[in-house]
Amino acid sequence: MIIRTTFAGFGGQGVLLMGYVLSHGAMHKGLNITYFPSYGAEMRGGTANCTVTLSDKKIASPVASNPDIVVAMNYPSLVKFEPAIVEGGAVFLNTSLFSEKPSRTDIEIVSVPTLELAKEAGSDRGGNMVMIGAVCARTGMLSLEETVKGMQAALKGKEKFFEQNQKAIEKGFAFIADGK
Amino acid sequence: MPSEKMLMNGSHTVGEAAVRAGCRYYFGYPITPQNELPEYLSARMQDVGGTFIQGESEIASINMVLGASVAGGRAMTSSSSPGISLKQEGISYMAGMELPGVIINMMRGGPGLGNIAPSAADYFQATRGGGHGDYRTPVLAPAGCQELADLTFLAFDLADKYRNPVMLLGDGLMGQVMEPVVFPDFIDLKDLPRKEWALHGCEGREARAVYSMFLGQQGELYYHNLHLQEKYDRITAEEQRWETKRTDDAEIVVVAYGTAARIADTAIEELEAEGIRAGLFRPITLWPFPLPALRKLSQHVAKIAVFELSLGQMVEDVVLSVGERAEIYFHGLPGGIIPTPAQVAAFIRSALKGDGTVGRRIDV
């Protein structure tokens, strides 16, 4: 088993944090992982992406030729990464920010209104947590408990954010379960 | 006891491993893409009663390593390509004075200030001395977080064993990639062999001196260099390290180190599905280069494909190893470009066909 996921957006959207959460959750589950970030010198703005590879075997390259899953938090990320997704793969769209859809028909498309869902969960800053919840729920990479555990490990030392983030992750799982 | 499995990036991994390997003196000057390493040690050194100093420059930092080392401590500095160039004078002095010390280079694109993206174009500088004079430094080339930890330990041990600076050659990608890593247990500083040459006050014993200048008229420098060479010959004989994968019935063997080797490894896995039998030869010591092992391997394989994150540096050592025993192909990428396994697979296919569409044949 090997799954490669690319998270992409602009700096400040919590793109790299989504990758940390998945990485920590998968490591606690006993999987091998590599987390490969790519970003500019800016704290905010600019483009940011990371690729997380999960496998039950040893992982050679942290760089993926073709991701199985792409999480596009903004439109330029969709444009950039859509062509690389493997046939039968999936793309998650942050539809709070853009309404354009992929032109490919051989991949699954999952639209997630991250901002609206995050507000319902109690904080408009939790869009990335809603998204990682939706991604894990839809792909089965992590259970809800494993995703929460991954978030807590990724944010060790920042315990004050645990409760709000957990609510947002639960919202993402519920959205996939109920479609709302 | 070894640590639990921890998820860490490569730069933090080197910092934690250095502390556990007994390093109590770190001196450095900031440069991307390795700032996470001094950042980590700025806090971690305090936990273990060590010293962290951000020097006023790279040159000051390497000379602080020289000073801490001559006083008997396990000392380290780190930087990325342009900063490593600045440290070369100090490294040459340390080689001349026979001082241990560990230098980390998380390579970025060059020449000049280049860019901040990963590269592996400092092979010549690292393996051929780098500074002035007839000297060598062992160069270790890890290919992931676990090996970064393990080879950091080895770097300190080799440095002390041979009284010589040792370089750990990583790259900007390796410094930022996070992977699970298990650290060896802390070394007890009391268990390390005493350094009978170190300078820490001569009360009650004869005075000692450690220097790199030999102005005498009786061939003092001549004999000093012959003594150093004898040491380098011993290192060459005893310290070669490499890894091979799937080389037994390979029709082509890829030679690559560090990050390039990992990307090539996945390319080889993907080619297996096409029925192509490709193997991997990964040097772990770049100096001493595992020349005899590669030479032996080249007697049983028709083609050697060299892949580097530079426009062709290690390939010269491959040519020295292989000669005309096998056809040699080369593909490399200049600074700041990170290739995918698919691109490396295309090179291997092209080398097998000998069609020259990706990379080129090396005329030996």
Side-chain angles (χ1 to χ4, degrees):
Chain A
M1 179 276 279
I2 184 159
I3 307 173
R4 304 173 179 93
T5 308
T6 297
F7 298 91
F10 52 71
Q13 282 187 305
V15 169
L16 303 182
L17 183 56
M18 283 192 278
Y20 289 152
V21 171
L22 178 58
S23 301
H24 277 283
M27 187 180 80
H28 283 287
K29 199 176 165 177
L31 293 174
N32 289 315
I33 73 113
T34 62
Y35 165 93
F36 165 46
S38 173
Y39 49 87
E42 312 89 346
M43 251 334 237
R44 292 174 192 81
T47 61
N49 70 74
C50 65
T51 298
V52 177
T53 304
L54 312 182
S55 180
D56 51 2
K57 299 192 181 67
K58 199 172 174 219
I59 300 164
S61 174
V63 184
S65 305
N66 303 95
D68 302 285
I69 299 158
V70 164
V71 178
M73 292 299 281
N74 63 2
Y75 181 55
S77 298
L78 174 63
V79 174
K80 183 174 178 190
F81 290 104
E82 183 194 334
I85 303 171
V86 297
E87 208 182 308
V91 62
F92 289 76
L93 308 175
N94 175 19
T95 50
S96 298
L97 211 60
F98 63 96
S99 54
E100 291 89 344
K101 298 287 184 232
S103 53
R104 283 176 62 175
T105 53
D106 61 343
I107 51 175
E108 185 189 1
I109 298 162
V110 185
S111 299
V112 185
T114 57
L115 183 60
E116 290 79 356
L117 293 169
K119 279 181 180 163
E120 285 175 29
S123 167
D124 56 5
R125 294 178 62 194
N128 60 337
M129 291 294 131
V130 170
M131 184 58 105
I132 189 66
V135 170
C136 290
R138 184 68 196 91
T139 60
M141 285 191 287
L142 300 178
S143 69
L144 173 59
E145 291 71 26
E146 288 159 351
T147 311
V148 170
K149 203 171 239 180
M151 178 272 293
Q152 292 175 345
L155 290 174
K156 201 174 162 213
K158 296 179 180 172
E159 281 75 9
K160 63 177 176 175
F161 298 118
F162 283 7
E163 196 187 335
Q164 186 55 52
N165 282 338
Q166 183 169 342
K167 280 185 194 162
I169 290 170
E170 286 166 354
K171 197 76 189 171
F173 270 80
F175 173 75
I176 293 298
D178 311 336
K180 65 176 183 354
Chain B
M1 262 190 358
S3 75
E4 295 199 336
K5 198 189 274 186
M6 295 156 86
L7 188 61
M8 282 181 121
N9 71 36
S11 287
H12 288 177
T13 298
V14 172
E16 180 62 26
V19 164
R20 286 171 177 259
C23 176
R24 291 294 177 272
Y25 305 94
Y26 173 88
F27 313 98
Y29 186 79
I31 184 170
T32 304
Q34 61 83 59
N35 284 324
E36 291 84 354
L37 173 49
E39 176 215 25
Y40 185 85
L41 284 175
S42 65
R44 192 71 173 103
M45 275 299 182
Q46 294 191 16
D47 300 338
V48 294
T51 298
F52 170 93
I53 294 178
Q54 180 177 316
E56 68 268 39
S57 69
E58 286 86 351
I59 298 167
S61 302
I62 187 68
N63 283 294
M64 289 178 193
V65 170
L66 187 155
S69 176
V70 82
R74 283 197 154 181
M76 178 171 98
T77 187
S78 68
S79 191
S80 182
S81 307
I84 295 293
S85 293
L86 289 166
K87 292 182 196 288
Q88 292 302 337
E89 181 192 61
I91 297 170
S92 170
Y93 275 59
M94 288 175 70
M97 295 164 79
E98 292 194 85
L99 292 179
V102 172
I103 299 119
I104 312 291
N105 183 1
M106 293 293 187
M107 293 182 280
R108 62 185 243 183
L113 271 181
N115 64 14
I116 62 170
S119 170
D122 300 351
Y123 182 94
F124 283 151
Q125 184 193 56
T127 59
R128 265 61 177 172
H132 61 281
D134 236 345
Y135 77 94
R136 297 285 194 171
T137 49
V139 181
L140 308 178
C145 280
Q146 188 59 53
E147 215 172 49
L148 277 166
D150 297 341
L151 292 184
T152 298
F153 269 74
L154 179 65
F156 281 101
D157 287 343
L158 290 178
D160 278 355
K161 181 177 176 186
Y162 294 103
R163 279 188 64 181
N164 208 75
V166 172
M167 182 171 281
L168 195 91
L169 198 64
D171 62 59
L173 183 145
M174 207 182 290
Q176 292 184 319
V177 164
M178 286 202 308
E179 293 180 287
V181 53
V182 176
F183 291 97
D185 198 4
F186 285 85
I187 279 177
D188 190 335
L189 292 174
K190 291 195 293 290
D191 293 342
L192 293 174
R194 268 184 71 82
K195 293 174 176 172
E196 298 299 346
W197 46 266
L199 310 182
H200 32 55
C202 65
E203 197 178 335
R205 63 160 169 82
E206 291 238 337
R208 301 171 185 147
V210 179
Y211 44 84
S212 72
M213 189 164 76
F214 298 84
L215 293 176
Q217 300 298 307
Q218 313 299 320
E220 282 86 346
L221 182 61
Y222 172 90
Y223 289 109
H224 180 59
N225 268 292
L226 290 183
H227 157 71
L228 291 179
Q229 188 57 45
E230 180 275 325
K231 177 169 79 175
Y232 303 145
D233 288 345
R234 219 163 3 106
I235 296 172
T236 301
E238 291 170 14
E239 302 298 346
Q240 293 174 30
R241 287 167 172 81
W242 67 92
E243 180 190 45
T244 56
K245 277 174 107 170
R246 307 181 198 85
T247 50
D248 281 350
D249 60 345
E251 46 195 318
I252 187 165
V253 167
V254 180
V255 183
Y257 71 94
T259 292
R262 292 189 65 173
I263 297 171
D265 196 356
T266 293
I268 289 165
E269 282 172 12
E270 289 173 7
L271 288 173
E272 208 170 11
E274 296 173 22
I276 293 174
R277 296 189 315 277
L280 178 68
F281 183 91
R282 179 172 73 89
I284 295 172
T285 51
L286 301 182
W287 190 86
F289 190 81
L291 188 148
L294 183 55
R295 173 164 293 167
K296 201 169 156 213
L297 180 64
S298 67
Q299 286 162 354
H300 311 289
V301 61
K303 296 191 177 197
I304 300 281
V306 183
F307 174 60
E308 294 186 63
L309 301 182
S310 82
L311 289 177
Q313 301 193 8
M314 181 186 66
V315 66
E316 295 193 2
D317 281 334
V318 175
V319 169
L320 284 173
S321 309
V322 174
E324 294 179 344
R325 290 172 193 81
E327 290 179 14
I328 302 172
Y329 293 82
F330 173 77
H331 181 48
L333 293 159
I337 307 290
I338 302 167
T340 63
Q343 289 168 289
V344 184
F347 163 53
I348 297 169
R349 275 190 220 101
S350 170
L352 267 176
K353 287 188 205 135
D355 62 10
T357 52
V358 184
R360 62 190 158 91
R361 170 101 185 257
I362 299 293
D363 188 10
V364 177

